[in-house]
Amino acid sequence: LAAACGHDTLRVRRAPRAALLVFGDELLTAGPPAAGRIRDALGPAVPAWLRRYGCQVRPSDVVGPVADTLPAHVAALRSALANADLVCTTGGTMNGPVDHLHPTLEALGADYVVNTVAVRPGFPMLLARLTGPDGRARFVAGLPGNPQSAIVALVSLVAPLLAGLQGRSMPLLPQVTLAEAVPGRGDHTHLALVRLDRAAGVASPVRHVGSAMLRGLAGADGFAVIRPGTSGQPGDRVPIVPLPLFPGERTS
């Protein structure tokens, strides 16, 4: 197409390179959960999401679990930022005794772009910016440790960032008709997992949607947007944040 239009050269943007740091001494990377420890679900999942949004992520760019100490966090993030345009982290976005992401960002001189969002689930997400030695901006996206909350941060915070880094605009959110009631979350936006019935043209909330659960997410098509101070009623038209299709998934 470019040649047919008479262009001999084109300016292009390279795909952003991303890295992932998994925080949490309580995490296991193999075998079933046991002895008060839980299996890391985000280390295996997040790189595929980042690739779907146009990033380069190599196996060596996934590091963790990183020890729950401030020096370990600072060292891991500094190392990841040396080669990545975007570093995603999982967990540690709150201000508990073993949550070291905020002090780490302060130690590295980062500036917050977003520091928590009035959304449920996923409110403790964050986005910070640093300037590298080459003068280019690098970004750190802090994903909450609960899996569904982390995916909310990916679709609502990381996806728009990556679109901007690649010179793409975000499409307008499509609208869906609710088949069932969806509760609101007070003064927070509720991103409610739903499954589409394309034949009937409606969306129904899925079950098993606690922020730490993956079962509901696995059967969902997207997040219905229930605005602050409202609830969704059957027949209401609401925006939906679609989940991206991965290679091999059906579109109908």
Side-chain angles (χ1 to χ4, degrees), residues 1-222:
L1 177 61
C5 293
H7 296 290
D8 300 318
T9 61
L10 296 175
R11 292 186 65 189
V12 299
R13 296 175 185 259
R14 65 175 178 82
R17 182 169 172 186
L20 174 65
L21 301 180
V22 178
F23 295 152
D25 286 342
E26 76 281 8
L27 298 177
L28 295 170
T29 58
R37 301 182 69 189
I38 60 174
R39 180 68 186 268
D40 170 37
L42 293 173
V46 170
W49 287 79
L50 294 172
R51 293 186 189 103
R52 183 62 185 82
Y53 287 129
C55 278
Q56 305 174 66
V57 189
R58 303 179 307 184
S60 60
D61 295 324
V62 180
V63 177
V66 177
D68 280 332
T69 68
L70 180 57
H73 279 50
V74 171
L77 186 54
R78 180 179 284 123
S79 176
L81 288 166
N83 297 305
D85 303 293
L86 166 68
V87 179
C88 289
T89 65
T90 66
T93 57
M94 299 288 281
N95 292 295
V98 294
D99 294 328
H100 300 297
L101 181 55
H102 289 281
T104 297
L105 293 171
E106 181 180 1
L108 295 178
D111 296 314
Y112 288 105
V113 179
V114 173
N115 187 5
T116 71
V117 177
V119 63
R120 297 281 184 165
F123 78 93
M125 68 178 82
L126 65 85
L127 181 66
R129 177 174 48 217
L130 303 92
T131 301
D134 56 3
R136 288 194 303 109
R138 266 83 164 170
F139 294 91
V140 177
L143 312 181
N146 282 327
Q148 192 192 150
S149 298
I151 301 307
V152 167
L154 281 170
V155 301
S156 63
L157 191 64
V158 175
L161 169 69
L162 292 174
L165 291 178
Q166 296 169 86
R168 295 186 288 107
S169 59
M170 292 292 290
L172 293 176
L173 295 180
Q175 299 272 320
V176 296
T177 300
L178 295 178
E180 302 175 34
V182 179
R185 290 294 188 95
D187 57 357
H188 285 60
T189 296
H190 183 196
L191 292 187
L193 282 171
V194 294
R195 186 167 183 82
L196 300 179
D197 182 339
R198 292 177 172 84
V202 296
S204 299
V206 300
R207 313 306 175 199
H208 310 288
V209 292
S211 60
M213 296 180 180
L214 288 168
R215 182 176 172 183
L217 180 66
D221 294 302

Side-chain angles (χ1 to χ4, degrees), residues 217-247:
L217 180 66
D221 294 302
F223 292 94
V225 181
I226 308 301
R227 301 187 186 282
T230 69
S231 60
Q233 301 301 320
D236 284 354
R237 296 281 290 173
V238 299
I240 182 173
V241 182
L243 295 176
L245 288 175
F246 290 86

